[in-house]
Amino acid sequence: MIAHFPKPQRDELLGSILARFIKRQGIRDDKIALDILFGNRKIVPSPLLQGHIGELHANIGHLWQVEPADVVERHTLLPLFKPFIPAGRYKMLQTNLVELALNTGTLRSGINASILKWPSQYHICPECWREQVQSQGYTYWQRLFQCPGVESCPDHGGKLYNSGVSLSSDRRHQFVGTDSVHIPSNKDINSEHKKLQLSSMVRQLLDQPLPSVTLLQWSTFYLRLAKMADCLDGARINHLKITHQVQSYWKRGWLDSHGLGLQEKPNWLTAMFRKHRRPFTYLQHIAVWLALYPEQKRAAEIIAEAKTLPELCVPLHQSRYKQSESDETKTEKREAWKQILTADKELTLKAIRQTPQGARLYSWLYRFDNQWLLRILAQLEHRFW
Ligand SMILES: [Zn+2]
């Protein structure tokens, strides 16, 4: 039974805690370390989303009294995605990390994270690093600095430094610690204000348990944000103006380098201001908040606000179909439908839908003018059934 386990530091990655344990115990064989920690020699370390936490807990629970789910929350990157995906799906991913490992496929489909540019090497803040040495006598990998998009330290205001240590070890079963890092002696270059704000926002997502907000609540949220940012033309969202604002705030180079480029049409930003059919990542949300929110707000405030909103019921995706945008079109479609009905009073609904024009009209009305169509059909029920 394990007799000593290192004290986990706030915001330390789980793999970093385990690497410190292995070093202190003087264990040289990766598989022996796995056996002691997990009771399972087949585990492959995953620096940012370490799984098999239940097995770990069975072996060290007596020394580190924490629920496995809390280990996920405090020492992996998963909580970054929580506010942006449905609660049930988040729970599923969390359970996955506790019981097994989260494979990339599950992660991709679960949080739609494939647009993120995941780091290949660990990043550190040289100032934090010096403080760790002074106060603890050792260093560790900080979770915040490995999050895609985070380029500066919110505490010291400086740019992060690439440690040169790869996130994927040459040794398949090794937990990688901080031993080989040599920090630069030159003074930090101050980071831009907006990048610091972004880092702070990411930290706010990691630091506190935040609620999940449904996709349709986010849809309502972005409709309101468009209004607040003066990006509505009447009832219609001005996507061009939104794109322009986001692009001029972040600059094209930055957006491209983070996988957030807006050159394609339609792009992720346009999709964000329509009805949400899939989740967006924290980086997309934060990039938009910082560029469009009229005043500075904390991530928790914004998420709490979104959580209180009703789910979007107006089908925003209508805007994809130009003809559906005007009331005129609606009137035309209704008229055309009525004409078919009056032209041949014996015609059944089935027969109408078998003609190309009837089928087109029916599916349009069904989608965009559903209430009206159902009312008409109800009135004519005797004719149709
Ligand atoms: Zn720092």
Side-chain angles (χ1 to χ4, degrees):
M1 190 191 263
I2 298 175
H4 300 283
F5 192 73
K7 180 173 177 271
Q9 293 296 324
R10 188 182 154 78
D11 206 44
E12 180 175 8
L13 282 172
L14 181 55
S16 172
I17 305 170
L18 301 181
R20 288 200 288 118
F21 167 82
I22 294 163
K23 189 187 168 202
R24 275 194 209 173
Q25 299 289 313
I27 307 166
R28 289 175 180 277
D29 187 312
D30 298 337
K31 293 228 165 185
I32 290 177
L34 290 179
D35 204 13
I36 295 171
L37 286 166
F38 295 89
N40 178 348
R41 288 175 173 242
K42 290 194 178 132
I43 283 167
V44 178
S46 168
L48 307 177
L49 291 159
Q50 179 58 46
H52 298 276
I53 293 170
E55 285 165 87
L56 178 69
H57 189 253
N59 293 298
I60 57 149
H62 61 294
L63 296 169
W64 184 14
Q65 274 136 16
V66 61
E67 287 301 316
D70 289 334
V71 176
V72 175
E73 296 303 289
R74 294 175 204 166
H75 302 284
T76 79
L77 259 55
L78 194 66
L80 277 181
F81 302 93
K82 186 175 178 190
F84 313 111
I85 59 175
R89 198 182 303 175
Y90 185 78
K91 188 78 201 147
M92 185 272 285
L93 293 170
Q94 194 192 51
T95 309
N96 236 304
L97 270 192
V98 169
E99 289 171 7
L100 292 156
L102 205 51
N103 66 46
T104 349
T106 322
L107 189 70
R108 287 220 174 128
S109 63
I111 59 186
N112 197 22
S114 45
I115 75 131
L116 291 174
K117 302 265 185 219
W118 295 92
S120 58
Q121 297 185 330
Y122 288 97
H123 286 84
I124 61 172
C125 158
E127 289 301 317
C128 288
W129 201 254
R130 286 185 192 102
E131 284 179 12
Q132 289 172 12
V133 174
Q134 272 165 15
S135 62
Q136 320 291 344
Y138 57 82
T139 53
Y140 55 90
W141 299 129
Q142 282 165 274
R143 178 171 60 155
L144 173 65
F145 300 153
Q146 323 313 329
C147 298
V150 173
E151 293 169 300
S152 44
C153 170
D155 288 335
H156 299 103
K159 275 191 183 170
L160 298 183
Y161 169 74
N162 189 340
S163 72
V165 179
S166 175
L167 270 137
S168 54
S169 169
D170 296 340
R171 280 151 56 189
R172 186 173 156 82
H173 295 284
Q174 185 195 20
F175 284 99
V176 180
T178 58
D179 301 335
S180 59
V181 178
H182 301 286
I183 55 163
S185 51
N186 57 329
K187 194 81 189 100
D188 301 339
I189 309 151
N190 283 343
S191 211
E192 272 178 86
H193 180 63
K194 58 183 84 163
K195 292 182 183 168
L196 281 174
Q197 277 185 303
L198 186 147
S199 302
S200 299
M201 285 256 190
V202 174
R203 176 153 72 178
Q204 289 156 27
L205 298 182
L206 289 172
D207 271 2
Q208 47 204 312
L210 294 169
S212 291
V213 176
T214 68
L215 296 183
L216 290 178
Q217 282 177 316
W218 280 121
S219 308
T220 308
F221 173 89
Y222 281 99
L223 182 59
R224 284 170 49 130
L225 182 58
K227 195 173 174 191
M228 230 186 290
D230 199 23
C231 294
L232 279 188
D233 288 340
R236 204 179 150 193
I237 287 180
N238 188 334
H239 291 287
L240 211 62
K241 195 170 173 188
I242 292 172
T243 306
H244 180 72
Q245 286 201 19
V246 171
Q247 209 150 34
S248 63
Y249 186 87
W250 288 110
K251 304 287 177 282
R252 202 167 148 173
W254 185 90
L255 290 167
D256 288 349
S257 69
H258 289 85
L260 304 178
L262 296 170
Q263 283 79 271
E264 281 172 35
K265 280 188 184 136
N267 54 50
W268 63 269
L269 187 59
T270 317
M272 206 160 188
F273 282 85
R274 288 187 174 137
K275 185 174 173 182
H276 289 208
R277 294 167 181 281
R278 56 187 173 83
F280 293 87
T281 66
Y282 69 92
L283 196 55
Q284 292 166 311
H285 283 277
I286 294 177
V288 175
W289 299 344
L290 289 175
L292 292 187
Y293 238 95
E295 73 225 80
Q296 206 177 317
K297 283 203 172 189
R298 292 180 58 80
E301 263 180 273
I302 295 175
I303 290 160
E305 193 183 308
K307 182 86 191 148
T308 62
L309 294 175
E311 299 204 320
L312 187 80
C313 52
V314 183
L316 261 192
H317 60 271
Q318 276 186 13
S319 53
R320 235 191 303 164
Y321 300 87
K322 275 225 161 88
Q323 71 267 44
S324 69
E325 280 162 17
S326 65
D327 285 345
E328 249 168 75
T329 313
K330 200 176 257 182
T331 317
E332 276 169 29
K333 302 275 182 192
R334 286 181 181 183
E335 284 309 312
W337 184 254
K338 281 191 213 157
Q339 267 175 24
I340 297 178
L341 291 182
T342 44
D344 181 350
K345 292 202 180 331
E346 299 304 311
L347 218 54
T348 64
L349 177 62
K350 196 175 167 197
I352 295 174
R353 289 184 61 193
Q354 272 163 357
T355 66
Q357 194 212 1
R360 252 198 322 274
L361 272 177
Y362 179 84
S363 75
W364 192 96
L365 290 166
Y366 188 86
R367 245 179 126 171
F368 302 119
D369 203 3
N370 194 272
Q371 302 282 323
W372 181 84
L373 178 71
L374 293 180
R375 216 168 44 239
I376 291 284
L377 293 179
Q379 283 167 14
L380 300 172
E381 206 177 5
H382 60 281
R383 230 175 93 179
F384 289 131
W385 324 109

